[in-house]
Amino acid sequence: MEKLFRMNDAAKILGVTIKTLQRWDHSGKATFVRTPNGQRRLPESEINRLIGTDADKVNETNLVIYARVSSHEQKMKGDLQRQIDFIKRHMDLNSFQQVTVIEDVGSGLNDKRKGLVKIMKLAEAGLITDLAIRYRDRLTRFGFHYLQTYFESHQVTLHILDDQTEEKAPQEELVDDLIAIITSFSGKLYGIRSHKNKMVEEKVKEVLEDVANLPNETT
């Protein structure tokens, strides 16, 4: 039985809005299936047709290059583009029929990053065969093997191009991740906007900054 996609999922895969899908339904650009209660579902074959992946192209190899930084400041410094350029230099792009670059600006602890979610949807739909990242922690800070298993279960080959698990200057990003963890738990205890939560966040920042400034002494 052919897989049917909800409107929200189909919109994410195709990179359009739900209203656009509704217009396509009315105009006949796409053929939808109706559930018994009248909800629209888009068949996988229609998704493949709309993005140009026809039945005679099932042997195509489609690569996604994924890069992530934690902050817009890092992006402005060129860290995001350097990841992309590194991957392009170390992958044989000519061996792929399609190469797509997907970026995220956000913490590696955030499992709802738009770029990451998009890649997972593409993998689920069988629309990509390879995923390339520079460092494994660009994909996620924790739980890497869960995502690796997910992609492998959808026949997506994961390419990690650098043996380092972190970039050369990871302190700033690690501090941001630690603050995000503590702020999350503190927010659940005291409320996101509470005075106590803000005090906890400020204290944590002070401690982490003090630790970062300690000399690297060994005895």
Side-chain angles (χ1 to χ4, degrees):
M1 184 176 180
E2 184 174 16
K3 187 170 185 178
L4 302 177
F5 288 85
R6 296 175 181 273
M7 293 285 281
N8 189 45
D9 294 334
K12 288 179 180 178
I13 292 171
L14 294 168
V16 298
T17 65
I18 292 178
K19 287 186 177 180
T20 296
L21 291 181
Q22 291 170 344
R23 287 197 297 271
W24 289 357
D25 185 21
H26 292 311
S27 66
K29 181 176 179 178
T31 302
F32 290 79
V33 173
R34 291 293 198 282
T35 64
N37 59 0
Q39 294 184 344
R40 293 182 180 93
R41 295 290 186 268
L42 190 60
E44 184 175 0
S45 59
E46 278 294 278
I47 289 181
N48 291 341
R49 182 183 66 80
L50 289 166
I51 65 171
T53 306
D54 299 320
D56 60 351
K57 296 182 181 179
V58 291
N59 292 322
E60 279 193 356
T61 53
N62 298 323
L63 169 70
V64 166
I65 294 174
Y66 179 67
R68 177 188 67 80
V69 292
S70 286
S71 66
H72 288 283
E73 182 181 358
Q74 288 176 307
K75 181 177 181 179
M76 293 297 294
K77 289 179 179 177
D79 293 348
L80 196 63
Q81 190 59 49
R82 276 191 288 274
Q83 289 178 44
I84 296 170
D85 292 342
F86 182 91
I87 295 170
K88 287 182 176 180
R89 288 196 305 270
H90 290 78
M91 293 291 294
D92 180 11
L93 302 185
N94 292 326
S95 65
F96 298 95
Q97 278 70 41
Q98 181 177 336
V99 177
T100 304
V101 176
I102 295 178
E103 306 171 359
D104 266 325
V105 177
S107 170
L109 300 171
N110 181 3
D111 60 358
K112 296 182 181 179
R113 280 170 274 141
K114 290 183 179 179
L116 177 60
V117 171
K118 182 176 181 179
I119 296 170
M120 295 176 73
K121 293 294 184 182
L122 289 171
E124 183 180 355
L127 302 180
I128 60 174
T129 57
D130 295 77
L131 171 61
I133 55 177
R134 179 166 184 178
Y135 306 106
R136 56 186 287 169
D137 68 352
R138 297 305 86 196
L139 197 60
T140 181
R141 180 66 72 178
F142 300 113
F144 173 82
H145 291 291
Y146 291 106
L147 280 178
Q148 185 179 38
T149 300
Y150 174 86
F151 287 116
E152 288 177 351
S153 70
H154 292 292
Q155 291 75 53
V156 175
T157 301
L158 184 59
H159 304 267
I160 305 170
L161 302 183
D162 202 314
D163 290 335
Q164 298 180 26
T165 57
E166 298 166 356
E167 297 187 6
K168 293 182 179 179
Q171 282 187 333
E172 181 181 346
E173 188 164 312
L174 286 171
V175 167
D176 289 342
D177 286 341
L178 286 170
I179 291 173
I181 293 172
I182 295 170
T183 301
S184 175
F185 282 103
S186 175
K188 290 178 181 178
L189 285 173
Y190 305 119
I192 297 297
R193 294 185 175 87
S194 73
H195 180 62
K196 281 187 176 181
N197 183 50
K198 292 179 180 179
M199 287 181 60
V200 169
E201 185 176 342
E202 290 301 320
K203 290 294 183 183
V204 169
K205 286 182 180 179
E206 291 176 11
V207 171
L208 291 175
E209 288 173 359
D210 289 342
V211 171
N213 292 326
L214 289 174
N216 292 324
E217 298 178 354
T218 57
T219 57

